[in-house]
Amino acid sequence: MKKLINDPKNVVEEMIEGYVKAHPDYIKQLPENNRALVTNRKTKDGKVGILIGGGSGHEPAFMGYVGDGMADGVAVGNIFASPSPDPILEVTKVIDKGAGVVYLYGNYAGDVMNFGMAAEMADIEEDIRVGMALASDDVASASKEENEKRRGIAGEFFVYKAAGAAADFGYELEEVVRIAKKANENTRSMGVGLTPCSLPQTGKPSFEIGENEMEIGLGHHGEPGIEKGPLQSADRVAERLVNDILADIEINSGDKVAVLVNGLGSTPRMELYIVFRRVEQILSERGVEIYRSYVGDYITSLEMGGCSVTLMKLDEELIKTIDHPVDCPMFVQR
């Protein structure tokens, strides 16, 4: 497994350095902590700040979503590892404009602990109000009865989109948190893994899978899925992913959804569009309208092969957030 890197111990720092140099009109690195990055554009006083973050290796998440209409700052962790509380706090201090800051992150033990610690530090040390919303869209990671245990995967993108729009609308902290949580509650994802990735520090596959196998429900860090089996066609895979989602959330004829077909890092867009083709057919057959569609690499896992499908059930309030324009280095919507 080949990597275009220098010293494996420096990949995160060198990536951040290159990213900031490539997009100086969007983002800057804070001198207090090299894992803390904030928007380089002026934001309004009184606007709720949006802070996202997580482990490296998921690019364009999370740095790529700092910009107009989405996040105001990001805390960057090691590969597939949560950022520590220190960069989270440094970003919080800079992006607070007097209305507080909302933390958005995936439902993983390290993230829950570190973002929680940073929120306490912001309150006690800086007198900054912090609200939090977790992404937990992966239907494969726990049952409906234990949905509080579900991890966040590609559906996090829709939570960022909704919360960023709500903050832009001038909503207060509690309203931004409510909308972020509502976006998560109306979002479901399901993934399939075809080939593993390898961490730069080890150079070894993150999991084992046979040459002609696939794994349904695989996590973004290589966490075990719910079923291994022979590789199937794109249509059969799309049907499995969508049917599992529709069994978990009530989406009826006449409803509107946003759809994300997300690549995990090495899957060509050709294949993602073939999957989307079948997703659209299934929803159309059920009388469900695709209001907006997103196809591409939005939250990846290094060079892992495979994809995920995400459906977000929309109402008028969520449509307003989905329609809001965005201008980030890795995502633009007009």
Side-chain angles (χ1 to χ4, degrees), residues 2-224:
K2 300 174 182 177
K3 300 281 187 184
L4 196 60
I5 61 174
N6 298 307
D7 187 333
K9 297 193 295 287
N10 298 331
V11 290
V12 175
E13 277 68 31
E14 291 183 357
M15 173 189 68
I16 292 172
E17 182 182 356
Y19 186 81
V20 172
K21 288 179 181 295
H23 306 291
D25 52 331
Y26 285 95
I27 201 164
K28 62 184 177 183
Q29 197 171 18
L30 296 182
E32 296 82 4
N33 192 301
N34 63 6
R35 299 293 185 90
L37 290 81
V38 300
T39 180
N40 207 15
R41 297 180 172 183
K42 185 173 177 57
T43 53
K44 299 177 185 175
D45 289 339
K47 173 188 175 297
V48 171
I50 300 295
L51 193 160
I52 62 176
S56 298
H58 298 298
E59 291 73 34
F62 301 92
M63 296 185 300
Y65 300 132
V66 173
D68 299 339
M70 288 190 83
D72 300 295
V74 60
V76 182
N78 288 325
I79 294 177
F80 295 173
S82 169
S84 70
D86 291 339
I88 302 170
L89 180 61
E90 292 302 326
V91 172
T92 303
K93 288 155 59 176
V94 171
I95 69 173
D96 176 46
K97 298 297 181 179
V101 176
V102 174
Y103 293 174
L104 307 174
Y105 52 93
N107 190 22
Y108 297 91
D111 292 301
V112 170
M113 178 178 69
N114 290 338
F115 279 90
M117 289 175 61
E120 290 182 9
M121 294 160 65
D123 178 34
I124 296 169
E125 299 175 15
E126 306 295 335
D127 195 27
I128 298 173
R129 291 191 306 142
V130 172
M132 293 185 280
L134 280 69
S136 56
D137 53 297
D138 184 7
V139 301
S141 54
S143 67
K144 290 178 71 171
E145 292 71 30
E146 295 184 304
N147 60 9
E148 74 281 355
K149 296 181 179 179
R150 287 180 171 176
R151 58 198 172 215
I153 53 173
E156 288 187 39
F157 169 79
F158 285 143
V159 178
Y160 303 159
K161 183 77 181 66
D168 264 13
F169 297 155
Y171 295 168
E172 295 183 354
L173 182 81
E174 292 77 13
E175 271 293 278
V176 176
V177 171
R178 181 188 67 79
I179 287 175
K181 290 182 176 180
K182 179 179 178 178
N184 179 63
E185 290 164 2
N186 283 275
T187 300
R188 300 289 190 278
S189 300
M190 188 77 169
V192 60
L194 305 182
T195 59
C197 62
S198 64
L199 275 62
Q201 292 87 346
T202 66
K204 297 179 180 178
S206 55
F207 61 92
E208 294 184 0
I209 191 165
E211 183 69 25
N212 295 308
E213 278 188 321
M214 66 179 191
E215 187 164 356
I216 297 290
L218 190 79
H220 274 195
H221 307 118
E223 299 97 335

Side-chain angles (χ1 to χ4, degrees), residues 308-322:
S308 59
V309 172
T310 301
L311 303 183
M312 181 187 192
K313 184 178 179 180
L314 300 174
D315 61 11
E316 290 307 312
E317 184 174 52
L318 290 176
I319 284 174
K320 184 180 176 183
T321 68
I322 286 293

